[in-house]
Amino acid sequence: MIREYTGDGDRLDVVLSRDGEISRSRAAALIKDGCVSVNGRTEIKASYKTQTGENILLDLPEVKPAKAEAQDIPLEILYQDAHLAVVVKPCGMVVHPAAGNDAGTLVNALLYHLDSLSGIGGEMRPGIVHRLDKDTSGLMLVAKDDKTHAALSSQLAARQMEKHYRAIVYGKMKEPSGEIEKPIGRSKTDRKKMAVDEDGRWAKTEWKVLREYSDRTLLDVHIITGRTHQIRVHMASIGHPVLGDVLYGHKRMPNTERLMLHAYSLEFTHPETGERMKFIAPCPFCEE
């Protein structure tokens, strides 16, 4: 499907995503894949600054239906309507199928329990607006159609969603609250890990003490950005790794039955109704 746009002096990815039909990250991916031309010339840089009046064509690939298999897996659905759903992902569940792990995921469960899912995420990630690590439990927002998916992705990119976590970290904090503002990038020594890296992407985490124990602390954690492993990397960087974290923890930490990290609350604006909505999933390991 061909879509036509007109340059206005802004970045190419911004121009393509302005009408809300596709997200800016999706626009950038399409540009990189050679799906966009400017005045008849293929442009592969999302940062290209368009000129006023330039003719821009987007050859939008046909979205293929999801091919992941629907599975009757128990799933807690807190809310759903014709456009979106809010679900609670259990600890230990992978979000979407991947090589060597094509069953038992959240996507397999969603395909069984929901009547439709957006196709923007691709064949193996239908409906997935944002992700949680396998061992992190809690709230996830799911889109049922492409327009809703694009609108929710735009909110996420513009930091208009508010996400709070519950985390039990090692040791006691010196202050009742604080913030961590350190860039995060892929570790240069271990590609399975992320790390604080001055060449990484800006990341900011706010935390507040909820309860103290002898060797650990329960925190409310508010993420301003949403980088991969952000809370785990940031807390480890200040000497307070999340308990149960085998990637970023250390041997002095007490043993726990799981990663003590839970997506506790999620607030966003419904793309269709304009209503501000907030959901809470009680923390399974907290004594608040």
Side-chain angles (χ1 to χ4, degrees), residues 27-216:
L30 290 168
I31 295 166
K32 184 178 179 180
D33 289 343
C35 299
V36 179
S37 65
V38 179
N39 287 345
R41 172 182 55 82
T42 299
E43 177 56 63
I44 61 172
K45 290 184 178 180
S47 60
Y48 172 79
K49 188 173 183 180
T50 65
Q51 302 299 310
T52 301
E54 281 185 319
N55 178 251
I56 301 168
L57 296 179
L58 167 62
D59 186 359
L60 191 62
E62 181 180 353
V63 177
K64 298 179 181 179
K67 289 186 177 179
E69 179 184 352
Q71 291 182 290
D72 184 5
I73 301 170
L75 181 65
E76 185 177 1
I77 303 172
L78 295 187
Y79 173 85
Q80 69 167 314
D81 58 27
H83 306 282
L84 56 85
V86 179
V87 303
V88 181
K89 186 189 84 66
C91 173
M93 177 181 277
V94 176
V95 170
H96 57 79
N101 188 29
D102 58 358
T105 73
L106 179 65
V107 164
N108 296 115
L110 291 172
L111 288 168
Y112 181 88
H113 290 284
L114 303 186
D115 53 5
S116 62
L117 289 172
S118 71
I120 288 179
E123 295 178 6
M124 303 305 280
R125 304 184 187 186
I128 300 301
V129 177
H130 62 102
R131 289 178 287 177
L132 289 177
D133 298 339
K134 173 185 176 182
D135 294 322
T136 301
S137 57
L139 293 168
M140 288 197 65
L141 184 56
V142 179
K144 289 189 172 185
D145 59 77
D146 291 355
K147 183 178 179 181
T148 299
H149 196 142
L152 292 174
S153 295
S154 294
Q155 283 188 49
L156 192 64
R159 304 188 183 95
Q160 294 168 345
M161 289 186 187
E162 186 159 341
K163 296 192 285 185
H164 286 256
Y165 290 71
R166 292 292 187 261
I168 296 182
V169 300
Y170 174 70
K172 290 187 176 182
M173 315 303 288
K174 295 180 180 180
E175 303 290 340
S177 62
E179 63 180 43
I180 307 165
E181 192 168 349
K182 299 178 181 180
I184 293 176
R186 183 69 58 181
S187 170
K188 294 181 173 63
T189 58
D190 186 344
R191 302 305 292 173
K192 294 181 180 179
K193 299 173 65 174
M194 306 300 288
V196 170
D197 187 336
E198 61 181 16
D199 295 324
R201 301 175 69 188
W202 175 72
K204 183 176 181 179
T205 302
E206 298 175 342
W207 57 267
K208 180 174 67 175
V209 173
L210 295 178
R211 190 167 184 174
E212 286 188 333
Y213 302 88
S214 59
D215 59 354
R216 64 194 72 186

Side-chain angles (χ1 to χ4, degrees), residues 19-33:
D19 61 7
E21 291 297 321
I22 61 174
S23 67
R24 186 169 170 182
S25 59
R26 174 65 170 159
L30 290 168
I31 295 166
K32 184 178 179 180
D33 289 343

Side-chain angles (χ1 to χ4, degrees), residues 198-270:
E198 61 181 16
D199 295 324
R201 301 175 69 188
W202 175 72
K204 183 176 181 179
T205 302
E206 298 175 342
W207 57 267
K208 180 174 67 175
V209 173
L210 295 178
R211 190 167 184 174
E212 286 188 333
Y213 302 88
S214 59
D215 59 354
R216 64 194 72 186
T217 304
L218 172 64
L219 301 178
D220 172 85
V221 183
H222 176 214
I223 56 171
I224 307 302
T225 52
R227 310 305 179 206
T228 301
H229 296 179
Q230 177 174 320
I231 295 174
R232 298 164 64 186
V233 172
H234 270 175
M235 297 313 301
S237 76
I238 62 170
H240 297 282
V242 178
L243 293 191
D245 195 337
V246 297
L247 271 184
Y248 304 103
H250 50 69
K251 294 181 180 179
R252 299 189 304 277
M253 298 196 315
N255 292 326
T256 57
E257 70 276 9
R258 55 160 290 175
L259 178 70
M260 297 300 195
L261 185 60
H262 176 75
Y264 174 76
S265 69
L266 174 65
E267 187 173 346
F268 62 93
T269 300
H270 195 295

